[in-house]
Amino acid sequence: MDTVFRDVRVIDGSGGPSYRADVALAGGRIAAIAREGDPRPAARRTVEAHGLALSPGFIDMHAHSDLALLRDPAHTAKAAQGVTLEVIGQDGLSYAPVDDRTLAAVRAQIAGWNGGTPEDTSVEFTWRTVGEYLDRLDHGFAGEGIAVNAAYLIPQGTLRALAVGWEDRPATPAETERMKRLVAEGLEQGAVGLSSGLTYTPGMYATDAELTELCRVVAAYGGYYCPHHRSYGKGALAAYEEMIALTRRAGCALHLAHATMNFGVNEGRAPELLALLDAALAAGADVSLDTYPYTPGCTTLAAMLPSWAGEGGPEAVLARLRDDATAERIRYAMETEGADGCHGVPIDWEAIEVSGVADPALASAHVGRTIAGAARERGEEPWATARRLLIADRLGTAILQHVGHEENVRTIMRHRVHTGGSDGILHGAKPHPRAYGTFPHYLGRYVRELGVLSLEECVAHLTSRPAARLRLPDRGLVRVGHRADLVLFDPETVAAGATFEAPRTLPTGIPYVLIAGRFVMEDGHRTDVLAGRTVRRTARP
């Protein structure tokens, strides 16, 4: 044996009762589990538990580490939380498959999520296909790999930009066929499914018929569809219903991204969402969801604009913002009508806090301030401040949107198909603390302090349930023969260190994290181990 954890409390990921055992590892897998009365395994290294719990590694079902995994070899934001696998390519916008034109536009579109502006040379964009991107991740740093494992969703908005462009129109039959071929190629190259961002351009221009055709391809390969659906505000329930009906027609598994009920119109309405899910599940639908354990959301300021303002791509958006008459139309849509970019709800500038900017020169005047607060300092209306910032930062501004409801967060996380996802944007001077704190926050705040979930049930939400959605037969449980992607944490002290004031603070109470039996975190410190690799779907139609 390589390593044995002696007398550890095993929380095996099944949701069943924990138990005490010695757990031994060999060759990157769990080799033996010795309960009381069994022969005790010996190993080259012994770690005494001293009250620690051992669980499968946490799976982040909604991550935005598409460039961070290639930019930062330590990736401590996730490794320190016990995350051993991230699902990237989220919200319909990422960096493969692309051509040169599409890549340039997508980089500008999601600079607020990931950086990656033309001036950012920290990552060399050497790939164009899904397979090439996954190969780049596998080679990682000096060929050694990356910090944690990664699975990839094909981004539908990027597909549409590649095959159709940034126009608000239905795809032609030929364009739809090209997108279907790209989906099939991406799945054959290892992607686990398809994502959409249906409040983001250009993905939001897709019709249900178009999305259904793409989902039929996903279903044929045994993948799943992960939509950021068309509204989390005024039309939230209708948007959930739309996605359930669409995937039922396509015969495709559905995973609802950051499944929240936000804005004032949805306060206290989480039970309605869960009733909708229960009805779909009873009717045979294959549905799951993820959430983060916080109330504010996080996206880009440009995402708040109405969809018509985004037609044509980032440069066209900037041109509209510079035109006074068009900018006034945008303001009216956002502040009075309730733009689709803001989920059909009139924007509350007091709730929009700037968390990061692409241009560092803009940080001191904006980061950490709400748009309304910065406007008061300037003696102007909020839209004037927002418009100026969007133009100066070339749409690269990231924001926190304080629109959630705690009772909805707690209600949804109890559901039997719930999984954990950070939706963590690591870019920016003052990111959302969920990027550094989601998983210990579940364990410390919602298990130990509030008792919303038992420890065993919460670990199942973070491990075996996402592994089942990803169809990974040897992950997500502490079982002999399973991969030794493991977390050792102290149930009495585990907690998120990250706060809205200090969002990059690391958690406490997670001393050991292993990937493939190798120590990624040891005694609470990041090692130099790069054991992460891509997790690729291998099913064929």
Side-chain angles (χ1 to χ4, degrees):
M1 302 294 179
D2 299 320
T3 305
V4 62
F5 297 101
R6 189 76 73 196
D7 193 29
V8 72
R9 178 184 174 185
V10 177
I11 304 173
D12 68 3
S14 69
S18 61
Y19 58 89
R20 303 203 75 83
D22 294 349
V23 178
L25 315 179
R29 293 185 178 268
I30 299 170
I33 301 173
R35 302 201 192 197
E36 186 176 359
D38 294 338
R40 307 194 80 177
R44 284 184 286 275
R45 177 176 180 180
T46 298
V47 177
E48 299 291 343
H50 298 304
L52 296 179
L54 180 145
S55 81
F58 305 137
I59 298 176
D60 188 341
M61 286 296 288
H62 193 101
H64 287 283
S65 302
D66 306 50
L67 297 185
L69 284 164
L70 295 172
R71 182 184 290 123
D72 175 17
H75 200 41
T76 309
K78 294 301 181 68
Q81 293 184 62
V83 171
T84 58
L85 170 60
E86 298 184 281
V87 184
I88 56 177
Q90 299 284 353
D91 294 329
L93 289 165
S94 189
Y95 305 99
V98 291
D99 56 17
D100 291 350
R101 173 187 57 84
T102 303
L103 176 60
V106 168
R107 288 180 66 178
Q109 173 87 345
I110 54 175
W113 293 354
N114 299 324
T117 60
E119 296 76 26
D120 181 355
T121 59
S122 60
V123 175
E124 187 178 356
F125 290 82
T126 56
W127 64 86
R128 292 297 179 268
T129 69
V130 169
E132 289 169 351
Y133 174 60
L134 298 180
D135 289 344
R136 177 70 182 86
L137 290 170
D138 277 338
H139 286 95
F141 297 88
E144 291 188 52
I146 47 180
V148 304
N149 298 312
Y152 188 69
L153 294 167
I154 302 165
Q156 171 260 330
T158 301
L159 287 183
R160 204 168 206 274
L162 182 59
V164 182
W166 296 77
E167 293 78 31
D168 183 1
R169 63 170 176 82
T172 67
E175 290 164 344
T176 300
E177 286 302 313
R178 185 183 180 197
M179 286 188 282
K180 289 168 64 177
R181 288 195 301 272
L182 289 167
V183 170
E185 289 170 6
L187 292 164
E188 289 171 358
Q189 292 164 8
V192 297
L194 177 75
S195 77
S196 282
L198 299 179
T199 64
Y200 300 129
T201 58
M204 68 193 308
Y205 301 142
T207 64
D208 280 7
E210 178 183 318
L211 295 170
T212 300
E213 286 299 304
L214 300 184
C215 283
R216 288 195 172 108
V217 179
V218 175
Y221 283 84
Y224 70 93
Y225 180 44
C226 180
H228 166 129
H229 52 270
R230 297 191 192 275
S231 176
Y232 290 83
K234 183 178 179 181
L237 285 176
Y240 284 116
E241 289 177 332
E242 176 192 12
M243 294 297 102
I244 291 170
L246 186 156
T247 49
R248 292 299 301 277
R249 288 194 300 272
C252 186
L254 172 65
H255 181 82
L256 296 166
H258 38 58
T260 56
M261 293 289 287
N262 288 338
F263 302 91
V265 294
N266 289 317
E267 186 171 2
R269 299 186 68 189
E272 297 177 55
L273 167 60
L274 300 188
L276 176 65
L277 290 177
D278 287 337
L281 291 163
D286 183 359
V287 185
S288 56
L289 59 87
D290 66 69
T291 70
Y292 46 83
Y294 298 87
T295 54
C298 182
T299 186
T300 64
L301 183 57
M304 299 290 100
L305 300 174
S307 58
W308 59 261
E311 186 175 3
E315 291 304 320
V317 177
L318 290 167
R320 292 186 181 101
L321 288 168
R322 293 186 184 105
D323 180 76
D324 290 343
T326 309
E328 175 56 22
R329 286 182 60 207
I330 294 172
R331 182 205 65 76
Y332 184 81
M334 296 175 72
E335 295 184 351
T336 303
E337 296 177 328
D340 47 5
C342 195
H343 308 277
V345 178
I347 197 163
D348 177 5
W349 294 114
E350 295 283 2
I352 305 297
E353 178 186 352
V354 176
S355 60
V357 289
D359 182 352
L362 300 168
S364 61
H366 295 93
V367 173
R369 292 176 170 83
T370 66
I371 294 293
R376 282 192 293 270
E377 292 178 9
R378 290 174 172 269
E380 62 187 11
E381 292 299 311
W383 169 242
T385 298
R387 178 189 176 192
R388 183 185 299 107
L389 179 57
L390 284 163
I391 294 170
D393 208 26
R394 295 189 59 79
L395 312 181
T397 304
I399 61 167
L400 305 182
Q401 192 172 20
H402 297 270
V403 292
H405 306 285
E406 179 66 20
E407 71 277 15
N408 284 348
V409 170
R410 298 187 193 186
T411 299
I412 293 169
M413 73 170 64
R414 293 187 182 101
H415 198 270
R416 66 186 185 278
V417 299
H418 170 267
T419 66
S422 70
D423 197 11
I425 294 175
L426 299 165
H427 177 68
K430 195 171 181 285
H432 197 302
R434 67 194 186 194
Y436 283 72
T438 286
F439 295 88
H441 200 49
Y442 268 120
L443 298 171
R445 176 67 173 159
Y446 288 93
V447 171
R448 185 179 63 247
E449 296 178 10
L450 299 176
V452 174
L453 295 168
S454 71
L455 184 56
E456 290 83 357
E457 180 67 7
C458 185
V459 167
H461 288 227
L462 308 181
T463 59
S464 64
R465 290 188 188 176
R469 165 51 71 218
L470 294 165
R471 299 187 182 181
L472 302 176
D474 58 355
R475 300 175 197 258
L477 292 167
V478 179
R479 295 282 191 275
V480 172
H482 276 52
R483 293 179 182 271
D485 294 354
L486 301 168
V487 182
L488 279 85
F489 63 92
D490 184 346
E492 300 303 317
T493 63
V494 62
T499 64
F500 287 98
E501 292 72 30
R504 296 186 187 275
T505 307
L506 297 179
T508 57
I510 306 180
Y512 299 102
V513 180
L514 295 90
I515 294 177
R518 301 172 67 192
F519 286 82
V520 173
M521 296 290 297
E522 189 167 2
D523 295 325
H525 300 286
R526 180 70 171 93
T527 69
D528 60 1
V529 168
L530 294 168
R533 300 293 185 271
T534 58
V535 174
R536 307 194 191 199
R537 183 171 299 286
T538 57
R540 294 292 184 267

